[in-house]
Amino acid sequence: MGEHLVRDLMLYFIVILLNVLTFQLFRRGITRIIYGVAGMLFLYFGIHDRARMTYLLELAIGLIFILLIIRVWIIQSTYERRLQDQNRDLLSLLRIQPGFTFRLEKSGDEFYYRLLEGGLLERMGLDLQVSYNRREHVERLGDIFELSSETLEQLIEHCKQAWFGDRTVFELEFWEYSALVTLHPVREDGITKHVTGHAMDITEYKALEKKRKEIDEANHAKSVFLAHMSHEIRTPLSGIMGLSKLLNKTELTDVQKDYLHKLLASSRTLSSMLNNVLDFSKMEAGSLDLERVEFEPETMLRHLADTVGALLEHKEIEVVFITDPNLPQSVKGDPLRMEQVLLNLLTNAVKFTDQGHVLFQVKLLSHQNGRVALSFMVEDTGIGISEVCMDKLFIPFTQAKPSTSRRYGGSGLGLAISKHLAEAMGGNIEVESRLGEYSRFYFNVELEIGELHTEGTPVGRQINGKALMVVQHELLGYSLKELLQSTGLETYTISSFQECVEAFENGKAFNLVMVDMRMDGFRELEARRHWLQLLDRQMTQVIGLTTVFQMEEMAAGDEDSRVDAFLSKPVTRNALLEVIGWRLEKENPVSVNVNSMDTHTMMSFPYEGEIAAQKYQILIAEDNEINQVVITEFLEERGFEVTMVANGRELLESLELRFWDMVMLDLHMPEMDGFETVRHIRRRKAFNRLPIIAFTADAAQHEQEVCLRSGINAVLLKPVHELDAVKVLNSWIHLAWLQKLQGLHAEQAIAGMDGKVYIFQFALYKWIQEYQHLDKRVTMKMDNGQLSAALRLIHSLKGGAGNLCASRLLAKVMELEKGLKRSHGTSARELYPDWREQLRLVQKEINQIKSSVPWS
């Protein structure tokens, strides 16, 4: 009996082991069958006349096998249900995807694909209701999707590339659909088994892209149209303004002068509105770009004062500039756009103020980490703005009230453009106002401090003496006192002509007297002569404060009734210090119009001896007869001899007749335009050094790089501002700007460029554009551990500096290169920190070169 028990136990163990092994091998329906048969056999053969223990053991094992059958069935059912759910979810995801998924296989040289699922298939009417167990090939490439032979060839090339193991992405056009196709090769042991593909539907995206392109093209067409329309408007407008200024110099009646002044005012308004419309068009098209150059705030403020002073012809208001004495000497930003914002605020203040004052105040809010926060405030005592209208101020083409537009004019674009520019510069514009009392506009901006170190103001030392200011307006007196506080002069203020007379009759002495010429007493010729006779003119300098429109009247009379110098209002620090400096340098005072923008502005020629012997010869091509008269008169007043032709062909013929100091031409001319004319000129080696100045009324052609590339040295935009014209002429007559370049051996560099000045100018322009922010680029690369990239950048700079003959810069660049190489493998902040200081010196040298070019 014991032997039977052992034998049975061994048999049961072997059967169980075989069943376990069978379960591991098959794990499917056959396992359930084996378990069932085994259980039944145990139950059947276990019913014998044996020991009770054997019977119970056989019965238990049979029940275990039956339970195993049930367990396996439950597990298998759960697994199959989960798999079905996953398949259903996967199919749902594939169906709702914007494209479709497919499988790509290859047989011989033919590619076949099996479409799986995707939303695009359903939209195309190809809903295949695919089962994942389906393995047969569906079609060859191109059988379902009708593709052109060219597209099919490109598709086969992409498939071949994917079959070689490269992930491939390309666009495919079929029927009316567009898809972005991605091919993922599935490889085993370096062999591609198949390729899984996904086609993303980008039909809507392509349609939107096409629409955006059409919108961009429409915006560009609109911008070009506006630019060309500006040409058509600017050309006659330039003639109107030019002839009006010429007419203003002739003998006119009071009525005629009044009409003429109104004509000029209307022309300026039209010019301003035209500029605003063009700027707004650029702003809408996203092409209104900002520069980042180094400039002097005081220079910008002086130019603002020049422009605002021209608006005060019939305004009996006081315009006062108060600037913080701690303003940095130079900052980095876009001076033209900053000036545009401030000029718009000042112009509005003057326009909407009939009595009282306009105050322009500049404050330094903070100075830290190489940056300054500046606040510009424009305050007026004009009509004010109601709370209801405040929200409409910065909406384009909208003014506070319709009556405002009817009375004061304007397009309603100025403030909208100013706000956009301010925000683009990282600043903001705020406003506070009370209807009928005042308005205050604040323009706050943060700027990086520059590195320019100019020679400073004409007064480089402290002045011992006393200064008397005779002004009625309290703000004007405060402003003058603030401007003079850095000179060391002891200042006093009185507010009437009679007090001034009494002071000098009582024997008081002053070294400097500043007089508001609009005050009663100083306007009258005899009273002014009597007062001046009380002064010791050898000791006392008298400066008259007036507007540019009153200056000629105040300068009339004999020498005994004239002051020593005039300052046009509003007064800026630079203008005042220049007058004081000139007075200190001269034994005898002279009358100088320091701050005028009118046609009396004189040019400072670099070759005065040559001027006396022979006038400069200028050849000009201009097809508009009115502009011919205006330009000729303007240049002849300044000592030039002008020869005028009507188009480019005539200019080329005249160019051979004699030597010319300069050529000026309109870019938009019949028969041969300005660009083609310049190309013909630059082909001749004899004209390598001939300055060519272009002027145009078409803002679209006023692209600096395009003009420089074509050989044009400078461009003036019509209507030409006289100060701009004077600046350009001063720079280019006898190539004077080359003598003022700092840090370069210009003539040596030009000689290496076959003597072509315009090539040197273009190379210098591109070089500045490339390296004006070198310090930031190098620092970023070094901080990111890109030493080799930083060295490549420095190496290219070294080559450019050598071509431009910038020897001082070249030496500093070589030191920087050594410093960067020494930093390899070390912490730039620890062992060799010197490259940062060397980089600063290199950038400083670049900035100095940039600041000395006339177009920066």
Side-chain angles (χ1 to χ4, degrees):
M1 179 176 174
E3 293 178 358
H4 289 290
L5 178 61
V6 172
R7 185 192 60 191
D8 290 343
L9 289 175
M10 291 293 293
L11 179 62
Y12 297 157
F13 175 77
I14 292 171
V15 171
I16 293 172
L17 182 61
L18 288 174
N19 277 277
V20 171
L21 290 175
T22 304
F23 176 74
Q24 293 296 328
L25 289 174
F26 296 97
R27 294 173 176 264
R28 294 284 181 175
I30 190 171
T31 307
R32 293 201 294 265
I33 296 173
I34 293 173
Y35 278 157
V37 171
M40 292 174 64
L41 288 174
F42 273 117
L43 291 176
Y44 176 77
F45 289 106
I47 306 174
H48 293 290
D49 295 331
R50 296 183 181 176
R52 184 175 298 175
M53 178 181 290
T54 304
Y55 171 76
L56 293 175
L57 183 59
E58 291 172 347
L59 182 62
I61 292 174
L63 291 174
I64 289 173
F65 274 103
I66 292 174
L67 292 175
L68 286 174
I69 293 172
I70 297 172
R71 176 62 177 166
V72 170
W73 180 79
I74 293 172
I75 292 174
Q76 188 67 27
S77 299
T78 304
Y79 174 77
E80 290 178 352
R81 187 167 60 253
R82 287 179 179 176
L83 183 60
Q84 290 175 357
D85 292 341
Q86 289 177 354
N87 288 344
R88 191 179 303 109
D89 292 341
L90 181 59
L91 285 172
S92 298
L93 287 174
L94 289 175
R95 286 193 182 103
I96 64 174
Q97 66 171 313
F100 61 87
T101 305
F102 59 94
R103 179 186 175 108
L104 187 69
E105 297 181 359
K106 188 178 181 184
S107 177
D109 293 332
E110 293 287 343
F111 285 100
Y112 295 85
Y113 59 88
R114 180 161 58 91
L115 298 176
L116 300 181
E117 268 296 354
L120 183 58
L121 295 177
E122 184 177 355
R123 291 199 299 275
M124 296 169 61
L126 297 174
D127 190 2
L128 305 179
Q129 297 297 324
V130 177
S131 167
Y132 269 87
N133 290 322
R134 184 176 179 183
R135 294 180 176 275
E136 71 275 9
H137 298 301
V138 175
E139 294 288 351
R140 293 182 305 169
L141 285 179
D143 286 350
I144 288 183
F145 304 114
E146 296 178 3
L147 304 175
S148 66
S149 58
E150 182 180 354
T151 303
L152 184 59
E153 288 179 6
Q154 293 176 354
L155 180 58
I156 292 174
E157 288 300 318
H158 289 304
C159 292
K160 289 179 179 179
Q161 183 180 354
W163 202 263
F164 286 136
D166 296 333
R167 180 179 179 272
T168 308
V169 181
F170 58 94
E171 286 189 18
L172 180 66
E173 302 284 341
F174 55 91
W175 298 353
E176 70 272 20
Y177 300 97
S178 300
L180 183 67
V181 180
T182 305
L183 301 178
H184 297 272
V186 178
R187 297 170 65 85
E188 293 181 7
D189 300 326
I191 299 175
T192 302
K193 296 299 182 181
H194 65 272
V195 173
T196 300
H198 177 257
M200 178 184 293
D201 184 12
I202 57 172
T203 307
E204 293 182 1
Y205 170 78
K206 296 289 284 187
L208 290 173
E209 189 179 58
K210 182 180 179 181
K211 188 174 182 180
R212 278 197 301 269
K213 186 177 180 181
E214 291 173 352
I215 292 173
D216 290 341
E217 289 175 352
N219 285 334
H220 177 70
K222 181 177 70 173
S223 298
V224 171
F225 170 76
L226 286 172
H228 288 306
M229 281 302 298
S230 78
H231 170 77
E232 300 302 322
I233 298 172
R234 284 176 187 274
T235 298
L237 179 61
S238 179
I240 292 171
M241 296 179 70
L243 284 179
S244 298
K245 290 179 180 179
L246 295 179
L247 186 59
N248 194 38
K249 299 175 184 177
T250 64
E251 294 292 333
L252 298 172
T253 65
D254 292 340
V255 174
Q256 289 172 331
K257 286 183 179 180
D258 182 58
Y259 290 164
L260 184 60
H261 292 157
K262 288 181 170 61
L263 178 63
L264 275 170
S266 298
S267 300
R268 293 191 189 102
T269 301
L270 179 59
S271 177
S272 176
M273 291 176 64
L274 184 61
N275 291 334
N276 282 342
V277 170
L278 288 171
D279 278 343
F280 185 75
S281 174
K282 291 180 181 179
M283 191 173 72
E284 275 196 324
S287 59
L288 193 63
D289 298 324
L290 296 178
E291 290 185 322
R292 185 180 176 276
V293 299
E294 196 160 351
F295 68 96
E296 299 176 32
E298 289 287 356
T299 302
M300 181 190 70
L301 296 179
R302 182 169 179 179
H303 191 233
L304 270 175
D306 289 345
T307 309
V308 174
L311 306 175
L312 302 177
E313 186 171 2
H314 297 296
K315 288 279 188 176
E316 293 294 328
I317 60 175
E318 201 68 62
V319 179
V320 180
F321 278 35
I322 299 178
T323 59
D324 195 315
N326 296 317
L327 282 181
Q329 194 170 11
S330 68
V331 294
K332 295 179 182 179
D334 191 328
L336 294 179
R337 293 304 184 183
M338 282 189 66
E339 186 176 323
Q340 183 179 353
V341 173
L342 296 172
L343 183 58
N344 182 62
L345 298 180
L346 283 165
T347 301
N348 282 348
V350 172
K351 180 168 67 173
F352 296 120
T353 304
D354 293 324
Q355 58 183 1
H357 70 266
V358 171
L359 171 63
F360 176 62
Q361 189 168 19
V362 186
K363 288 184 178 181
L364 178 65
L365 299 180
S366 66
H367 181 172
Q368 57 185 354
N369 299 326
R371 300 183 66 84
V372 290
L374 302 180
S375 175
F376 302 90
M377 189 269 286
V378 177
E379 175 188 271
D380 67 71
T381 55
I383 61 175
I385 308 165
S386 67
E387 294 183 7
V388 176
C389 299
M390 197 78 76
D391 295 335
K392 302 178 182 178
L393 281 180
F394 301 104
I395 299 176
F397 302 104
T398 304
Q399 291 198 340
K401 292 186 297 184
S403 59
T404 302
S405 179
R406 287 195 298 269
R407 179 180 175 186
Y408 295 99
S411 61
L413 282 175
L415 286 177
I417 293 172
S418 296
K419 185 175 180 64
H420 175 84
L421 290 174
E423 292 174 349
M425 287 184 278
N428 66 296
I429 291 182
E430 298 176 355
V431 59
E432 60 182 54
S433 181
R434 182 172 296 174
L435 188 63
E437 295 186 19
Y438 69 89
S439 294
R440 293 192 190 98
F441 284 83
Y442 299 90
F443 168 37
N444 300 319
V445 67
E446 188 174 303
L447 301 170
E448 184 179 349
I449 298 176
E451 296 180 357
L452 291 180
H453 295 290
T454 58
E455 297 177 358
T457 62
V459 180
R461 56 185 172 83
Q462 293 291 296
I463 305 173
N464 295 321
K466 298 179 179 180
L468 176 65
M469 293 167 289
V470 188
V471 292
Q472 281 184 319
H473 201 282
E474 184 178 354
L475 276 177
L476 179 58
Y478 177 79
S479 170
L480 295 174
K481 188 174 181 179
E482 287 287 306
L483 294 175
L484 286 172
Q485 70 177 1
S486 62
T487 64
L489 286 169
E490 189 178 344
T491 58
Y492 300 87
T493 304
I494 57 179
S495 59
S496 71
F497 174 73
Q498 188 59 40
E499 288 182 67
C500 183
V501 171
E502 292 175 358
F504 283 95
E505 285 179 341
N506 292 332
K508 292 185 178 180
F510 296 92
N511 303 94
L512 175 67
V513 179
M514 302 182 68
V515 180
D516 186 354
M517 303 299 288
R518 290 200 308 180
M519 292 175 60
D520 293 335
F522 292 105
R523 289 185 178 185
E524 293 79 18
L525 186 61
E526 287 301 323
R528 186 165 69 246
R529 180 185 291 113
H530 171 71
W531 172 71
L532 288 170
Q533 289 173 352
L534 299 175
L535 278 60
D536 181 355
R537 302 298 295 274
Q538 298 298 318
M539 171 187 172
T540 305
Q541 178 187 15
V542 181
I543 299 176
L545 307 176
T546 183
T547 65
V548 294
F549 302 100
Q550 297 170 331
M551 197 172 297
E552 185 175 352
E553 177 187 349
M554 293 299 173
D558 54 28
E559 187 175 347
D560 292 336
S561 63
R562 288 201 296 264
V563 298
D564 298 315
F566 284 109
L567 270 176
S568 62
K569 295 189 288 186
V571 179
T572 61
R573 188 184 311 280
N574 279 3
L576 175 58
L577 295 182
E578 277 187 13
V579 173
I580 297 174
W582 287 337
R583 178 65 178 90
L584 292 174
E585 293 174 4
K586 296 179 180 293
E587 294 181 358
N588 299 314
V590 294
S591 298
V592 182
N593 178 5
V594 183
N595 205 18
S596 172
M597 63 171 289
D598 203 27
T599 53
H600 301 292
T601 306
M602 299 302 295
M603 297 177 59
S604 55
F605 292 100
Y607 302 96
E608 295 181 0
E610 196 169 328
I611 293 173
Q614 181 181 0
K615 291 184 176 181
Y616 288 115
Q617 304 294 321
I618 297 188
L619 177 61
I620 301 178
E622 167 62 64
D623 61 310
N624 186 280
E625 293 183 4
I626 295 177
N627 286 334
Q628 288 179 355
V629 174
V630 173
I631 294 169
T632 301
E633 185 72 19
F634 173 79
L635 292 173
E636 287 181 347
E637 279 187 352
R638 285 154 180 80
F640 292 104
E641 186 172 312
V642 178
T643 300
M644 187 71 66
V645 297
N647 56 56
R649 294 193 182 278
E650 293 182 13
L651 185 143
L652 292 176
E653 293 171 0
S654 302
L655 204 59
E656 305 290 342
L657 301 178
R658 57 183 300 179
F659 172 81
W660 303 97
D661 294 290
M662 180 182 288
V663 165
M664 302 182 75
L665 48 79
D666 193 349
L667 291 179
H668 188 79
M669 294 184 295
E671 295 192 39
M672 182 183 290
D673 68 10
F675 287 108
E676 186 178 355
T677 304
V678 172
R679 282 194 292 271
H680 280 82
I681 295 174
R682 292 309 187 194
R683 288 172 187 159
R684 294 280 309 277
K685 189 172 182 178
F687 303 130
N688 282 348
R689 298 179 68 88
L690 176 65
I692 300 178
I693 311 301
F695 36 80
T696 178
D698 189 345
Q701 291 183 332
H702 193 210
E703 298 292 337
Q704 188 173 27
E705 183 169 337
V706 174
C707 293
L708 290 177
R709 191 185 295 274
S710 67
I712 297 170
N713 299 114
V715 179
L716 292 169
L717 187 62
K718 296 178 182 178
V720 178
H721 193 292
E722 292 178 354
L723 287 182
D724 293 336
V726 167
K727 179 181 177 182
V728 169
L729 292 170
N730 273 333
S731 295
W732 285 99
I733 282 293
H734 280 222
L735 304 177
W737 72 278
L738 293 179
Q739 312 302 322
K740 298 178 182 179
L741 275 180
Q742 300 179 23
L744 298 175
H745 298 288
E747 292 297 344
Q748 185 178 345
I750 292 169
M753 299 177 184
D754 197 26
K756 297 179 178 179
V757 174
Y758 63 95
I759 296 294
F760 169 76
Q761 182 188 6
F762 181 71
L764 181 57
Y765 169 82
K766 294 295 290 181
W767 182 83
I768 289 174
Q769 294 295 309
E770 176 70 18
Y771 298 110
Q772 59 182 335
H773 305 309
L774 175 78
D775 52 350
K776 289 182 173 54
R777 294 171 65 190
V778 172
T779 301
M780 182 181 297
K781 292 183 185 302
M782 291 296 290
D783 289 345
N784 292 333
Q786 299 173 311
L787 175 64
S788 58
L791 287 172
R792 284 196 301 270
L793 182 59
I794 295 302
H795 184 74
S796 65
L797 170 63
K798 187 167 63 174
N803 293 334
L804 295 174
C805 298
S807 55
R808 194 167 63 229
L809 172 63
L810 186 59
K812 288 182 171 60
V813 172
M814 294 174 69
E815 287 298 317
L816 172 60
E817 188 177 39
K818 292 178 184 177
L820 289 176
K821 289 179 179 179
R822 285 198 304 269
S823 70
H824 180 60
T826 66
S827 170
R829 298 178 180 273
E830 295 175 5
L831 189 57
Y832 296 114
D834 56 336
W835 69 265
R836 293 183 184 271
E837 175 60 22
Q838 290 161 357
L839 177 61
R840 188 189 69 81
L841 295 175
V842 168
Q843 188 64 51
K844 181 180 179 182
E845 193 71 28
I846 294 173
N847 292 342
Q848 188 177 30
I849 294 172
K850 183 176 183 296
S851 66
S852 65
V853 298
W855 59 81
S856 64

